[in-house]
Amino acid sequence: MMPEMTTLAFCNNLLWSLYGHLKDDPYMMIPNGIGTTLCAIQLFLIVYYGRKSASALPVAVVGGGGGGATAAGMSSDAVPMAEIP
């Protein structure tokens, strides 16, 4: 998830948890309290680890054929091992 979506989900869960607490409704408090906790953990992980740029990802070369360089500076037969959306 993007940090913006996680932040909005955290705020949404927190507000619904507070509303459930005001109404003394455990069916609102418990699920939204769990959601608030999970969003807080996800926000912590996003802040702690951050996001890697696409240039920092490892690249695997498939096949041994010559293949020339492309505009991006990678071999034409290079395949990214992971992609960031």
Side-chain angles (χ1 to χ4, degrees), residues 16-79:
W16 278 110
S17 294
L18 292 174
Y19 182 72
H21 184 69
L22 289 174
K23 293 293 183 180
D24 203 25
D25 186 359
Y27 294 105
M28 270 194 203
M29 286 187 293
I30 294 172
N32 289 299
I34 292 170
T36 302
T37 304
L38 292 175
C39 285
I41 291 170
Q42 188 171 2
L43 283 172
F44 169 76
L45 292 174
I46 289 171
V47 169
Y48 186 76
Y49 288 108
R51 295 193 61 169
K52 292 184 180 180
S53 65
S55 62
L57 294 174
V59 175
V61 177
V62 178
T70 62
M74 294 185 349
S75 168
S76 63
D77 38 346
V79 178

